[in-house]
Amino acid sequence: MSVNSAAAATLGVDDDPRRYEHLSIIRLEDPGAIARAAQARRRHPGPKAGKQNFIVAADHPARGALAVGSDPVAMADRRQLLDRLQIALADPDVDGVLASPDIMDDLLLLGALEGKLLFGSMNRGGLSGLVNEFDDRFTGHTAAALEALGADGGKMLTRICLGDPDTVATLEATARAIDSLAERKLIAMVEPFLSVRENGKVRNDLSTNAVIKSVAIAEGLGASSAYTWMKLPVVAEMERVMASTTMPTVLLGGDPEGSQDDVFASWQAALALPGVQGLTVGRTLLYPHDGDVAGAVATAATLLHHATSESTRTEEASE
């Protein structure tokens, strides 16, 4: 059964097919409204040590990755996706969004990004199932565009296949993107994987040693690592993974497997490790098995640590 079946009732939203028609009208008659909405938006105060950030990811469709679980087109309905995103972003514990330009622009026009962290999705050219999927070109946000939007950074998927010559071009493009973001003092959120192609499909190696090796390669990209973060999967022996980097790290959710309780338990353990700055999760929370987006988001929020950092305590003591 589709995860979108009877979704309107479950989500508690109006299922009028014209509910987002005004976005099309604005795009037709006043496309400059997007830039104005970005300029007028109240910004997030910025990441701080001791407060883990909760970021909702919604850049999958731009890579042709529409599946969630057994439903191959779960994310195909843009109205449903915007409904779910607005529910998630309405939770005060959600700090921001990671999105491709089209979705980011819709959310700006909807006024859903007030006070939120914004991360743009930069490379979406390695389409799911594409014959040259590892040649993951930068077809989305640029650093200049993100600066103009008042965004906080950009994210880049960095799949490393030792048996595919396209990998070197992706690594070079990633390094250039990191440099371009750093020049603007914007965060480069790098999502590395060691990957292989099996039976025509790309598979990410989620063994502990493979993740550690991918981190070692990714954190050395670019002329400066001053603004580089890692975006990493939760795998076995996460203590070893986090020992491999000093970069602030957010955990990704991926396509949900197993029970929601098991997934949340694995996140909780990983969030307790040094260097973990929070969650950047999409499909697991936007398309939960029971359809309760608000409930899934609220539960995930309880896993985050909001301890007062040493620097914050020092600042407070000096006031």
Side-chain angles (χ1 to χ4, degrees), residues 140-296:
H141 281 115
T142 63
L146 291 170
E147 182 180 40
L149 282 176
D152 299 274
K155 169 254 186 175
M156 56 215 75
L157 176 61
T158 309
R159 289 170 296 184
I160 302 157
C161 179
L162 301 181
D164 193 304
D166 284 332
T167 289
V168 68
T170 297
L171 293 177
E172 182 180 22
T174 299
R176 289 177 178 172
I178 291 170
D179 289 344
S180 188
L181 290 165
E183 288 170 3
R184 295 167 170 82
K185 297 181 171 56
L186 297 177
I187 296 165
M189 186 185 288
V190 185
E191 181 181 6
F193 292 98
L194 278 191
S195 306
V196 296
R197 191 185 295 275
E198 293 179 343
N199 300 319
K201 293 185 178 181
V202 171
R203 178 181 66 81
N204 296 326
D205 186 344
L206 297 181
S207 65
T208 305
N209 285 343
V211 174
I212 289 171
K213 187 171 183 176
S214 74
V215 171
I217 295 168
E219 63 188 355
L221 295 173
S224 170
S225 64
Y227 294 89
T228 301
W229 288 21
M230 292 288 112
K231 180 172 182 273
L232 302 177
V234 177
V235 298
E237 299 182 84
M238 277 302 290
E239 297 88 349
R240 289 180 56 213
V241 173
M242 291 309 302
S244 70
T245 184
T246 57
M247 309 294 175
T249 298
V250 290
L251 307 175
L252 64 92
D255 197 1
E257 295 182 1
S259 73
Q260 187 167 283
D261 288 344
D262 289 342
V263 171
F264 285 171
S266 69
W267 292 352
Q268 184 172 33
L271 284 163
L273 298 172
V276 176
Q277 183 58 29
L279 291 170
T280 301
V281 181
R283 291 168 291 185
T284 305
L285 301 181
L286 294 175
Y287 295 86
H289 295 307
D290 62 2
D292 184 4
V293 176

